[in-house]
Amino acid sequence: MSGVSQAEWSLPTRCAPWTVSELLAHVRVVIAWLPGMLAAPAPLHAEVSAVEYYRPDERFAPETNAARIALAQDHAAEQLSGAALAQTFDATWQEADRLCRVAPDGRVVRTRHGDPMLLSEFLLTRVVEVAVHGLDLADALGREPWITPQAADVVQDLLLGQDSSAALEKLGWSQLHFLRKATGRDPMTREEAAEVNRLGIRWLTLG
């Protein structure tokens, strides 16, 4: 994102009404929850997995989505430039990475939605955010997808379960094609939807 031109920061994304700058601001916001979560007292035990985190409840209600949209827009508006936003994002993820690396094994955190989760499980949801919205940003900018193989594998396993490679082989889709379809980036045809239903694949609620 450090190579994005001034004009490109205002391009629209598929995550309407966000522009490129506002979508990156959203990704920065979802990573920026981590320091506060790690500074707070740890819940006694985890109750929610990464898959269960993506359940269709109030976290995807219209009011929650409106607040999510406004928070990203406000953060983007606070930056002096797109380059400054990219620098802020860079500093944010590095701080989160540093804190997570020194956290003890089995650390439990509480999300902003109130979910007690293993830090490792919550981090899976952050990989989803960075990976999927990375596709959105690359598409908006007309770039080749920059998702890493490791991130793609994490999202695939989260969506399809332990035997994800076998499920993907049955679908006959490439990994990137699957990720776009499964997260709503590309629409599914009637035939594809029928095959997904036949295999018993259930998508997560991703907003």
Side-chain angles (χ1 to χ4, degrees), residues 153-176:
D153 287 345
V154 165
V155 181
Q156 176 184 309
D157 290 347
L158 190 64
L159 290 165
L160 292 178
Q162 291 184 341
D163 204 13
S164 66
S165 295
L168 196 59
E169 186 176 348
K170 289 177 182 178
L171 282 172
W173 296 353
S174 70
Q175 187 177 55
L176 185 59

Side-chain angles (χ1 to χ4, degrees), residues 31-124:
I31 301 300
W33 294 118
L34 278 158
M37 292 165 62
L38 288 166
L44 294 178
H45 53 84
E47 299 176 10
V48 177
S49 69
V51 171
E52 292 165 335
Y53 177 86
Y54 291 105
R55 60 188 184 275
D57 59 12
E58 67 279 354
R59 73 196 61 206
F60 297 112
E63 315 84 62
T64 308
N65 279 329
R68 186 180 292 117
I69 289 169
L71 185 60
Q73 290 175 326
D74 290 346
H75 177 59
E78 291 169 358
Q79 308 305 308
L80 296 177
S81 65
L85 173 60
Q87 291 173 355
T88 301
F89 172 73
D90 195 42
T92 299
W93 81 254
Q94 291 192 47
E95 174 67 3
D97 178 70
R98 183 187 67 80
L99 293 172
C100 290
R101 286 181 184 276
V102 298
D105 291 343
R107 175 66 154 94
V108 180
V109 295
R110 189 176 302 279
T111 73
R112 71 188 185 95
H113 301 293
D115 298 319
M117 299 180 68
L118 286 171
L119 174 62
S120 57
E121 287 289 298
F122 182 71
L123 288 176
L124 291 178

Side-chain angles (χ1 to χ4, degrees), residues 168-189:
L168 196 59
E169 186 176 348
K170 289 177 182 178
L171 282 172
W173 296 353
S174 70
Q175 187 177 55
L176 185 59
H177 182 77
F178 163 73
L179 293 178
R180 289 186 178 281
K181 294 283 185 179
T183 61
R185 269 63 201 166
D186 285 340
M188 274 195 282
T189 66

Side-chain angles (χ1 to χ4, degrees), residues 122-136:
F122 182 71
L123 288 176
L124 291 178
T125 72
R126 300 308 89 181
V127 174
V128 172
E129 293 280 350
V130 173
V132 172
H133 287 314
L135 293 178
D136 298 331

